[in-house]
Amino acid sequence: MSDITLSPPAAKKINQLVLEEMNPDLKFRVYIIGGGCSGFQYGFAFEENSEDGDMTIETEGVTVMIDPMSYPYLMGSTIDYLEDLQGSRFVVNNPNAKTTCGCGSSFAL
């Protein structure tokens, strides 16, 4: 059991995107990089292979991969998928973030 969760809307969208790519080997990577208006930024990518040390979460037919450097920053988070006036996007509801930018794609600890 992981302390990082994937919301049902996020799992549904990831499954949909994998089906569209017609590659059942694709996994969803969530990572943290430096930058953005608040100091750190979330990144999302589809990859076929995991790297050494990756934490993997499997839920609702989806495999999520998180590298060992990003994992501590994401502990306790929920990965969600939103569709609203700002568009459609994956977001991270991160209890570790002390501040976030207005768009929600970057944060500070």
Side-chain angles (χ1 to χ4, degrees):
M1 184 67 186
S2 170
D3 52 0
I4 299 170
T5 57
L6 187 66
S7 74
K12 181 179 177 184
K13 185 62 177 181
I14 293 166
N15 276 317
Q16 176 188 340
L17 292 169
V18 169
L19 280 173
E20 287 174 8
E21 290 296 317
M22 295 186 289
N23 183 350
D25 295 331
L26 288 177
K27 299 164 187 63
F28 189 68
R29 179 172 298 283
V30 180
Y31 57 94
I32 304 291
I33 54 175
C37 28
S38 294
F40 292 100
Q41 194 168 337
Y42 301 110
F44 307 99
F46 283 97
E47 298 177 5
E48 288 187 10
N49 300 309
S50 61
E51 301 293 327
D52 284 342
D54 278 349
M55 161 67 93
T56 58
I57 302 160
E58 297 195 22
T59 183
E60 299 188 47
V62 172
T63 301
V64 177
M65 302 180 299
I66 303 166
D67 66 85
M69 296 295 280
S70 298
Y71 184 78
Y73 296 107
L74 292 167
M75 287 175 43
S77 295
T78 299
I79 301 157
D80 200 2
Y81 183 76
L82 298 178
E83 292 183 13
D84 59 21
L85 293 175
Q86 294 179 346
S88 56
R89 65 209 178 280
F90 289 99
V91 296
V92 177
N93 298 315
N94 188 342
N96 303 308
K98 302 292 185 236
T99 60
T100 58
C101 67
C103 64
S105 66
S106 68
F107 67 101
L109 295 173

